Amino acid sequence: MRAQDDLDRTHPAAVPQVDHGIAIPISMSRTRIKLLAFVLLAVMSYISDSPEWLTVVLILTSAAIPLALFVLGGAEFVRALFLLPVPATTIRKDDLMSTTPS
C-alpha cells in the first residue's frame, strides 16, 4: 500500500509505471468501405461539375485515409487496407550456409 504523501504525487514511486500507449481498434473492412465511399464521391463530384473546392477536399480526404493508417500502424496497415500481400523475406545462400551445423 502506498504512503499518504505518495498519493498526492509529491514523491515519485519507487517503480515508475510503464506507459503502453493507447490501443486503438481499427476495422480494416470499415476503413476500406469509407475509403471507397470518399473515392466514389470525389469521382462523382468531378463528373457532375461540382465546385472545385469540393472535389479537392474529397480527393485530399481520400489520400489522408491511407496516410493516417501509415502513421498509426506503419506499412502493414496500408498493405492490409489495399489487400496487398506481405512481401516474402528474401533468403540468401549465405544465410542458409551459416545456419547448417558443422
Side-chain angles (χ1 to χ4, degrees), residues 36-101:
L36 180 63
F38 277 110
V39 168
L40 289 176
L41 285 171
V43 169
M44 293 303 295
S45 173
Y46 179 75
I47 291 172
S48 66
D49 289 332
S50 294
E52 288 83 17
W53 64 266
L54 178 63
T55 306
V56 170
V57 166
L58 288 170
I59 290 172
L60 289 176
T61 305
S62 299
I65 292 173
L67 180 66
L69 280 178
F70 180 76
V71 169
L72 190 62
E76 295 138 8
F77 278 23
V78 178
R79 282 190 203 105
L81 177 68
F82 293 115
L83 298 173
L84 298 174
V86 177
T89 56
T90 306
I91 299 175
R92 297 183 307 189
K93 184 178 175 182
D94 298 335
D95 295 335
L96 292 175
M97 293 177 130
S98 64
T99 59
T100 56

